[in-house]
Amino acid sequence: KAGVTQTPRYLIKTRGQQVTLSCSPISGHRSVSWYQQTPGQGLQFLFEYFSETQRNKGNFPGRFSGRQFSNSRSEMNVSTLELGDSALYLCASSFTTGNSPLHFGNGTRLTVT
Amino acid sequence: SQELEQSPQSLIVQEGKNLTINCTSSKTLYGLYWYKQKYGEGLIFLMMLQKGGEEKSHEKITAKLDEKKQQSSLHITASQPSHAGIYLCGADGMSQTSGSRLTFGEGTQLTVNP
């Protein structure tokens, strides 16, 4: 079974721009979660989607948004990029929304200059 | 305050030595997950523990959840350089603010010297 696929792997953007990251979950997984990882803050939860509905959202500004499609693929968007948005963005999928492990992709490394 | 405390923050051991990493919570853990991460890459799922006193092993790695379900340990026997990386514990339903699927500890950086 193919794992979680995130594209692109690396991205360099300028302050003020917007960016869209993509995630394809493991086949059969309907839940997709997004995390931001930085050296100072560790892994911070962004949001979780299940069957195209956002179930939970972390404490991030409205510039961070996401969506999930009918095939469970997910995208996250960050508008008006700030230097502090530079991070590794990780997507994870799971079969259900609880009591099942998250399986992570290799992430998208976003650098904002 | 951190909801999941991991200790130690970093660990340097000689190849062949045993080691233990701890994950402690002030709340009952209903699902505890251990992951390993190589720098700049995704997290690799190792083990999931749910029942008090549960113990699971995979190759040379053993994870335990205590009877009170507030502490978990990860033990590596006869460490190898391939064990090097960041080990993170994650728990279900910990966050009262974001409803995060999993809340993670800050991680333990393991270095294994040949």
Side-chain angles (χ1 to χ4, degrees):
Chain A
K1 229 180 201 183
V4 177
T5 304
Q6 289 188 248
T7 56
R9 278 287 277 137
Y10 302 95
L11 209 46
I12 300 175
K13 290 287 187 179
T14 305
R15 271 181 302 175
Q17 289 186 314
Q18 75 165 19
V19 66
T20 299
L21 312 182
S22 180
C23 173
S24 293
I26 292 172
S27 178
H29 284 191
R30 295 165 64 190
S31 173
V32 173
S33 298
W34 288 89
Y35 286 82
Q36 181 196 65
Q37 188 177 36
T38 59
Q41 298 296 318
L43 272 164
Q44 300 288 313
F45 171 71
L46 281 157
F47 24 67
E48 179 192 13
Y49 287 87
F50 182 80
S51 294
E52 301 179 67
T53 302
Q54 186 180 87
R55 288 183 55 87
N56 294 299
K57 182 170 166 55
N59 297 321
F60 279 81
R63 300 185 296 107
F64 292 80
S65 63
R67 58 177 176 169
Q68 186 180 33
F69 302 95
S70 58
N71 61 359
S72 293
R73 193 176 68 84
S74 177
E75 289 181 347
M76 68 162 280
N77 184 78
V78 187
S79 63
T80 320
L81 284 165
E82 301 177 358
L83 294 178
D85 297 334
S86 295
L88 180 66
Y89 290 88
L90 292 162
C91 166
S93 73
S94 61
F95 184 69
T96 66
T97 60
N99 291 324
S100 65
L102 295 180
H103 296 274
F104 285 81
N106 277 326
T108 294
R109 170 73 63 185
L110 172 65
T111 302
V112 182
T113 63
Chain B
S1 62
Q2 191 67 24
E3 295 179 19
L4 281 178
E5 297 276 351
Q6 277 189 245
S7 62
Q9 286 187 327
S10 65
L11 197 50
I12 302 173
V13 299
Q14 206 65 30
E15 183 176 359
K17 296 294 185 185
N18 302 336
L19 63 105
T20 299
I21 297 168
N22 293 302
C23 177
T24 303
S25 169
S26 58
K27 306 173 188 175
T28 300
L29 297 167
Y30 291 102
L32 191 285
Y33 305 78
W34 282 100
Y35 288 86
K36 178 186 175 184
Q37 184 181 28
K38 292 283 192 181
Y39 179 77
E41 297 181 4
L43 280 65
I44 299 168
F45 170 66
L46 296 175
M47 277 171 274
M48 171 183 171
L49 304 165
Q50 289 183 296
K51 301 175 184 175
E54 188 174 9
E55 180 176 319
K56 288 186 177 178
S57 294
H58 177 69
E59 298 180 342
K60 295 184 179 181
I61 300 176
T62 300
K64 301 178 185 178
L65 183 61
D66 74 340
E67 289 289 345
K68 290 185 178 180
K69 295 173 64 175
Q70 287 188 300
Q71 183 170 357
S72 178
S73 61
L74 186 83
H75 183 79
I76 298 177
T77 304
S79 59
Q80 300 169 348
S82 61
H83 287 128
I86 302 168
Y87 289 82
L88 297 112
C89 62
D92 266 321
M94 290 287 294
S95 176
Q96 294 178 337
T97 56
S98 71
S100 166
R101 244 307 307 279
L102 290 187
T103 299
F104 288 90
E106 293 185 340
T108 296
Q109 173 78 57
L110 172 63
T111 303
V112 181
N113 290 326

